[in-house]
Structures are given as C-alpha cells and as structure tokens.
Amino acid sequence: MKRNTLNIILLAITIGLFSLNFSPVFAQQMLIQVVGGGYRFDGPDTLTFTPVSAGFSQTDSELSIRTITSGGYTIPPGGGEDGFISIDDQNGGAEFQVQIQATDPLTHTTTPVYTIPLASFQVKNLTAQVNDAYDIQTMNGREDGLTLNGGLNSYTDLTTARVLANGTGQQPGKWKIYPGFRIQVPSATAIGTYETTLTFTII
C-alpha cells in the first residue's frame, strides 16, 4: 500500500506540471551581460625631488610616492592617507602586469642641453609599513589579486621597462602600491632643472 501511495503522489505532481506547461503564462528569458570596464590608474601627475647641490662627487636624491598627496589624483588621498599609485582591474579573467618606464634621459630644461642618464634614475617597491599601510593596499577584490615584483625590492635603473607588480585577473579588483624613486646625480652635473616622463602601463 505504501508503494501505491507514492505512485499516486508522483502521478498527481506529473499532471500538475504538465498542466502548467499549457497554462496561459508568458515567460521571457532574462539576460544580463557583464562588460569589462577596462583598467584604470590613479596617482600624482608630478614627482618633484629634493634639490641637490652641484659637486665633484655623486649625490643621491630619494622620493617616496607616499609623500605626494596632491596634484593629478582623480580621488586624492584624504585624512592623513599616504600618496599612492592605484590600479583598477575592472575586467577580471586575464592575468596582467603593471610596468613602469621612463621615456627619455632626464634632460636639462634650458639650453645648453645636458642629460642625466637613465642608469642614474631608479625605482623600487617600498615594502616597509608606513602609517598602517603596507606595500599593497587591497581596496576591492582579492588580497592575493596583485603581488609586487620581488625583483624590485632594491633600487633598479629605468634603462628599460620594469615590472612593478603582477595581477592574477581572477576577478575585478583595486589595489594601491607605493613605489620609491632615486636619482643618483653624477659628479660635475651642470646646475639646472632636469625632467623626464614616467609611464605606467598595464599589459
């Protein structure tokens, strides 16, 4: 008897579902496409080093991105926050690299033209904790979504493009990094202001 009861219940459910298929209900398939928003950078538009005195020996000038809290930011640091370079991966799904490159030697801004070679212009990832901010700040997404290139834990020249960080692309995310820079001004460098352009690229 128990088996028959089960069969009746199943039959009743089957008939009910069959009837629903023929009821006057209009069903519409709903779709949503999630489109990648691309990659975004934010950060200062100018790096200004502390002036050095001309002399007959090499002089170094260092600069941390943490100290630059104004100028060029889309969303500037606030509330005592350090300066930063932020990377937004609004796509997810593809690995990527964050690269930095100097376009030209540091060039004297007035005539006669002098230069400081890119071998003297260097970058490194800053890994020390400052103001409760570590080497990477994860704003959105996975903590392990972006990792710094360990090969840049010490100053490395910008004679070629350098990889600052690697992204997994497992899902969209946003991170902040804090590179540092150094210019080793050669001995007997002519006085004046020198400049070049730094380019950050995601590939």
Side-chain angles (χ1 to χ4, degrees):
M1 292 297 294
K2 189 173 183 180
R3 184 176 179 181
N4 290 339
T5 302
L6 181 59
N7 288 339
I8 291 171
I9 293 172
L10 289 174
L11 179 60
I13 294 173
T14 302
I15 293 172
L17 292 174
F18 186 80
S19 300
L20 284 175
N21 287 336
F22 288 90
S23 61
V25 176
F26 177 72
Q28 190 175 44
Q29 186 179 16
M30 302 302 293
L31 301 173
I32 182 169
Q33 183 179 11
V34 180
V35 180
Y39 298 104
R40 303 281 190 277
F41 280 111
D42 196 9
D45 55 8
T46 304
L47 305 179
T48 303
F49 286 77
T50 302
V52 298
S53 299
F56 295 107
S57 62
Q58 174 183 291
T59 306
D60 295 352
S61 183
E62 297 188 43
L63 177 68
S64 169
I65 203 77
R66 294 180 185 274
T67 64
I68 307 172
T69 56
S70 62
Y73 288 97
T74 302
I75 303 175
E81 182 186 6
D82 290 342
F84 56 81
I85 299 293
S86 71
I87 300 106
D88 292 24
D89 173 13
Q90 298 181 11
N91 294 324
E95 295 180 357
F96 62 91
Q97 288 185 337
V98 180
Q99 292 189 353
I100 183 173
Q101 185 171 19
T103 55
D104 298 293
L106 289 98
T107 304
H108 203 256
T109 57
T110 58
T111 55
V113 175
Y114 303 105
T115 61
I116 298 174
L118 288 181
S120 297
F121 188 23
Q122 302 158 351
V123 63
K124 75 172 181 178
N125 283 316
L126 299 181
T127 56
Q129 180 183 2
V130 179
N131 297 338
D132 295 325
Y134 288 91
D135 46 2
I136 293 181
Q137 291 283 91
T138 301
M139 312 308 295
N140 288 292
R142 298 173 59 102
E143 292 281 344
D144 60 354
L146 189 77
T147 55
L148 295 181
N149 174 14
L152 287 187
N153 286 348
S154 58
Y155 280 118
T156 305
D157 66 67
L158 284 164
T159 53
T160 187
R162 302 296 181 184
V163 176
L164 284 172
N166 296 285
T168 64
Q170 292 177 313
Q171 68 181 50
K174 179 177 182 177
W175 305 268
K176 292 179 180 178
I177 61 174
Y178 307 92
F181 302 90
R182 179 172 71 181
I183 298 175
Q184 296 184 310
V185 181
S187 62
T189 296
I191 63 172
T193 301
Y194 294 76
E195 64 180 15
T196 190
T197 300
L198 276 177
T199 304
F200 293 83
T201 307
I202 291 179
I203 62 170

